[in-house]
Amino acid sequence: DQQVKQNSPSLSVQEGRISILNCDYTNSMFDYFLWYKKYPAEGPTFLISISSIKDKNEDGRFTVFLNKSAKHLSLHIVPSQPGDSAVYFCAASADTNAGKSTFGDGTTLTVKP
Amino acid sequence: DVKVTQSSRYLVKRTGEKVFLECVQDMDHENMFWYRQDPGLGLRLIYFSYDVKMKEKGDIPEGYSVSREKKERFSLILESASTNQTSMYLCASSLQGRQGHYEQYFGPGTRLTVT
């Protein structure tokens, strides 16, 4: 049973437009949700997170929205830049299992100039 | 800056060989993890460790073992490598972030090919 799902394997957007990456989860025990970005031949790097007590967290061009009732979160990138082209992983963790995260399969974002 | 290093970027081994993948972090993190990344399957947790000499199985521990003799070092061992263990292996360590989450820091990965 996959507890964290990213249903879109890939997404292509034009430079300057909004990118929206989606993530769904099934485990209601998850307390924290994180997004990581991965370039080819590099390890993932942390991008932004949100606690389950919030519904929005913003950091520059990146905003994460959480809808707990729908068990859904999304990452918005505005405006998108070619350097944002990467694989984005959604991850979730439970406070009772601090440190261990469950990852989605990833979405490959391509931002076209 | 936190640094997580992995002993090899690329590795080619033969079926049946014993393989050691080493990971070192320099920020005194308690938690360390080993994942494998395969196309369409995302990051799957193999083993993790909360402290020296402590280890816990992740989602796919079969065919792997780990060792954590020192806090900064976490080793992944393939006792008898098989072709289905050809993959990208990622090591990570974690720190509790400002908002209470455990942000993970990843190494660059080791691409292992078993022939």
Side-chain angles (χ1 to χ4, degrees), chain A residues 36 38 41 43 49 97-99 103, chain B residues 9 33 37 50 101-102 104 107:
Chain A
Y36 290 82
K38 183 182 185 301
S49 68
N97 206 359
F103 286 79
Chain B
R9 293 299 300 269
F33 309 84
Q37 182 193 4
Y50 287 135
H101 63 265
Y102 282 77
Q104 294 191 16

Side-chain angles (χ1 to χ4, degrees), chain A:
Chain A
D1 175 36
Q2 193 170 11
Q3 297 185 63
V4 177
K5 291 184 183 179
Q6 294 176 254
N7 291 318
S8 298
S10 62
L11 175 68
S12 182
V13 300
Q14 207 66 33
E15 181 178 5
R17 307 294 291 267
I18 185 171
S19 295
I20 300 176
L21 295 93
N22 294 302
C23 179
D24 296 295
Y25 63 96
T26 57
N27 188 343
S28 56
M29 297 298 291
F30 287 143
D31 294 289
Y32 300 108
F33 303 90
L34 307 96
W35 286 94
Y36 290 82
K37 176 178 176 180
K38 183 182 185 301
Y39 292 118
E42 295 182 13
T45 55
F46 169 74
L47 189 58
I48 191 169
S49 68
I50 189 167
S51 163
S52 60
I53 62 173
K54 295 187 175 182
D55 54 18
K56 177 182 174 181
N57 188 29
E58 194 171 350
D59 184 2
R61 296 186 297 114
F62 302 92
T63 303
V64 57
F65 295 93
L66 175 63
N67 182 334
K68 278 188 69 176
S69 60
K71 292 190 174 67
H72 176 84
L73 63 153
S74 60
L75 174 68
H76 293 212
I77 306 173
V78 182
S80 301
Q81 299 173 354
D84 295 329
S85 297
V87 178
Y88 289 79
F89 289 101
C90 171
S93 64
D95 192 43
T96 53
N97 206 359
K100 178 184 170 186
S101 291
T102 301
F103 286 79
D105 292 347
T107 296
T108 301
L109 172 66
T110 303
V111 180
K112 298 179 179 177

Side-chain angles (χ1 to χ4, degrees), chain B:
Chain B
D1 274 353
V2 175
K3 195 162 185 183
V4 180
T5 56
Q6 295 184 227
S7 51
S8 304
R9 293 299 300 269
Y10 300 94
L11 210 52
V12 180
K13 295 291 182 181
R14 292 191 178 276
T15 301
E17 278 193 84
K18 190 169 186 175
V19 182
F20 292 87
L21 301 182
E22 304 284 341
C23 175
V24 178
Q25 51 98 0
D26 65 358
M27 281 299 290
D28 204 35
H29 288 176
E30 298 290 340
N31 308 324
M32 295 188 77
F33 309 84
W34 274 106
Y35 297 89
R36 62 179 282 178
Q37 182 193 4
D38 300 288
L41 296 176
L43 299 175
R44 293 183 292 166
L45 182 63
I46 305 171
Y47 267 96
F48 60 105
S49 169
Y50 287 135
D51 203 349
V52 175
K53 296 194 185 295
M54 293 182 67
K55 60 185 179 184
E56 291 197 32
K57 293 180 180 179
D59 301 316
I60 51 163
E62 296 78 19
Y64 304 94
S65 62
V66 290
S67 171
R68 192 160 182 207
E69 296 296 319
K70 293 185 177 181
K71 192 174 186 180
E72 67 271 19
R73 188 179 298 268
F74 192 35
S75 302
L76 180 70
I77 303 153
L78 287 68
E79 294 290 341
S80 177
S82 63
T83 54
N84 63 12
Q85 292 179 310
T86 291
S87 185
M88 170 68 84
Y89 289 87
L90 291 159
C91 174
S93 66
S94 76
L95 166 74
Q96 188 166 14
R98 291 188 302 275
Q99 297 182 31
H101 63 265
Y102 282 77
E103 172 185 337
Q104 294 191 16
Y105 295 83
F106 285 84
T110 296
R111 181 160 296 282
L112 172 67
T113 303
V114 183
T115 61

